[in-house]
Amino acid sequence: MVAIVDFALLAGLAVWALGIVHLRSLFGAAMMFGIYSLHCALIFVVLDAVDVAFTEAAVGAGISTVLILSTLAITGAKLEVRHSRAMMPLLITGVIGAALIYASLDMPLVGDPSAPANLHVVPRYLQGSAAEINIPNVVTSVLASYRGYDTLGEVTVIFTAGIGVLCLLGRHSRKRSRRRRE
Amino acid sequence: MEHHIVLRVVAKLLIPIILLFALYVQFHGDYGPGGGFQAGVIFGAGFILYALIFGLQTTKQVISPSFVHGMSGAGVLLYAGVGVISLFRGGNYLDYSVLLSDPVHGQHLGIMLIELGVGITVAFVMVSLFYAFAGYRQIELRKQGSTKQNDVAQASDADPNGKRQ
């Protein structure tokens, strides 16, 4: 039963991806990206990664769809339909995809307790969290306390990305274009 | 969006619930799924929904761009500041155990504060991203003055600024 659900979810993901490639309307493709993200969120729920599913649903399906649509509004982009067949990109994509699938056969199973990633610091966090931090959600205690430096770095990255977008699109764009005109 | 009465009514009903849910995700992150990042995104999405329905100018009256920019820095400062306080109290940087006399309670307080910092930064960076994207077009249109919109289609390559002379 679980296998059927997994298979159906992954097949659905492929269907959305093919749909995005085939759609000629950029607006439709942007909306379909949102559906794709929502679908990814479902898969994360099945994988018991509820925190990630939360993020994916809010960022992927919500805000990034709005931002893609705003970009379409800014650029007024029209898709240029080309009918030439590009064999080389198809070949490269096929080879890389096959290599990735081949490599995935060597990976440990999802959630395997003896996987190297689960043997390094994970047992220490799982055993220590109850006594040292004593909050039920271990994800939060790892993110916020054990890995506090990493999270500080992530927040700084988000802040920096916001600054970057402001520099490109923000209120200074008028001044810069005037300078370029001279 | 003047005439979409269904959208406006539903948005008015939903936005308070969205913001309340964001606060729940923020402060319940210790006990259930969620945390600062998710809460910030949901909180920002509430304001973005407001801007989509009621217009960018109205939203800028609700929270001004300078407030948004200031708050996106304030979250990072709150996070880093908790680390500095734990330094002053004799611990390592971001070691919350020294924040209070009881180490476990210190951890709780530290996690709550830094999650709040994460949430503030993420929420307001999202809003400022939306302001930048949505406001850009208005600046462009104002610059064009009387020239019609078909100019926009011409300048659809990467650099719309350089083209329009």
Side-chain angles (χ1 to χ4, degrees):
Chain A
M1 187 59 204
V2 176
I4 298 173
V5 172
D6 283 353
F7 182 79
L9 282 175
L10 285 174
L13 213 56
V15 168
W16 295 124
L18 286 176
I20 292 167
V21 172
H22 275 280
L23 262 189
R24 285 286 163 256
S25 146
L26 288 181
F27 179 79
M31 299 314 283
M32 217 174 228
F33 262 120
I35 301 174
Y36 183 91
S37 291
L38 211 55
H39 204 110
C40 283
L42 282 181
I43 291 177
F44 288 131
V45 172
V46 170
L47 290 173
D48 279 342
V50 195
D51 291 82
V52 187
F54 234 125
T55 316
E56 180 66 43
V59 178
I63 289 182
S64 69
T65 309
V66 173
L67 291 185
I68 292 176
L69 290 179
S70 321
T71 312
L72 287 182
I74 291 175
T75 56
K78 288 266 188 307
L79 186 66
E80 196 180 308
V81 182
R82 279 183 298 180
H83 290 288
S84 66
R85 289 187 188 278
M87 291 314 286
M88 199 58 194
L90 185 66
L91 186 74
I92 294 174
T93 317
V95 169
I96 292 178
L100 285 175
I101 291 174
Y102 177 69
S104 75
L105 298 179
D106 276 351
M107 280 174 65
L109 291 173
V110 175
D112 182 4
S114 62
N118 291 340
L119 289 178
H120 181 49
V121 286
V122 172
R124 161 82 184 76
Y125 293 161
L126 287 180
Q127 281 155 17
S129 175
E132 289 167 356
I133 298 170
N134 193 23
I135 58 175
N137 188 357
V138 185
V139 175
T140 301
S141 73
V142 171
L143 266 181
S145 186
Y146 290 120
R147 291 276 158 194
Y149 282 16
D150 299 6
T151 311
L152 177 60
E154 282 164 24
V155 177
T156 315
V157 166
I158 292 168
F159 176 66
T160 317
I163 302 262
V165 171
L166 280 186
C167 291
L168 287 172
L169 297 179
R171 46 178 126 165
H172 299 295
S173 62
R174 210 182 309 181
K175 207 187 292 172
R176 198 176 50 214
S177 70
R178 197 184 305 139
R179 205 182 306 139
R180 198 178 297 165
R181 209 164 287 172
E182 285 164 4
Chain B
M1 283 285 173
E2 294 291 304
H3 306 294
H4 292 77
I5 190 158
V6 175
L7 283 180
R8 278 192 289 154
V9 170
V10 172
K12 262 190 183 166
L13 284 175
L14 274 182
I15 286 169
I17 300 174
I18 292 175
L19 297 185
L20 194 65
F21 182 63
L23 291 177
Y24 165 77
V25 172
Q26 170 82 50
F27 293 108
H28 203 258
D30 300 1
Y31 305 98
F37 190 82
Q38 291 88 339
V41 173
I42 295 172
F43 206 78
F47 282 109
I48 291 175
L49 176 65
Y50 185 86
L52 286 176
I53 304 289
F54 298 99
L56 190 63
Q57 288 312 317
T58 327
T59 319
K60 282 187 173 173
Q61 285 169 1
V62 177
I63 39 173
S64 70
S66 50
F67 179 75
V68 171
H69 298 158
M71 288 304 274
S72 26
V76 182
L77 280 180
L78 175 61
Y79 197 140
V82 171
V84 174
I85 290 172
S86 62
L87 277 184
F88 275 120
R89 291 185 63 92
N92 291 325
Y93 189 69
L94 290 177
D95 178 9
Y96 319 127
S97 300
V98 295
L99 288 179
L100 295 175
S101 51
D102 180 19
V104 173
H105 286 170
Q107 289 281 348
H108 286 190
L109 179 68
I111 287 176
M112 200 196 78
L113 285 177
I114 67 116
E115 291 276 17
L116 189 62
V118 175
I120 291 173
T121 289
V122 171
F124 287 99
V125 164
M126 293 299 158
V127 176
S128 80
L129 284 186
F130 180 77
Y131 277 1
F133 272 87
Y136 186 77
R137 177 143 172 93
Q138 292 185 337
I139 294 174
E140 288 295 298
L141 288 179
R142 223 180 295 137
K143 230 189 300 178
Q144 283 173 356
S146 58
T147 23
K148 289 276 165 1
Q149 283 203 10
N150 54 12
D151 244 8
V152 180
Q154 270 180 19
S156 63
D157 62 342
D159 188 359
N161 282 332
K163 271 230 156 178
R164 201 159 301 128
Q165 284 136 37

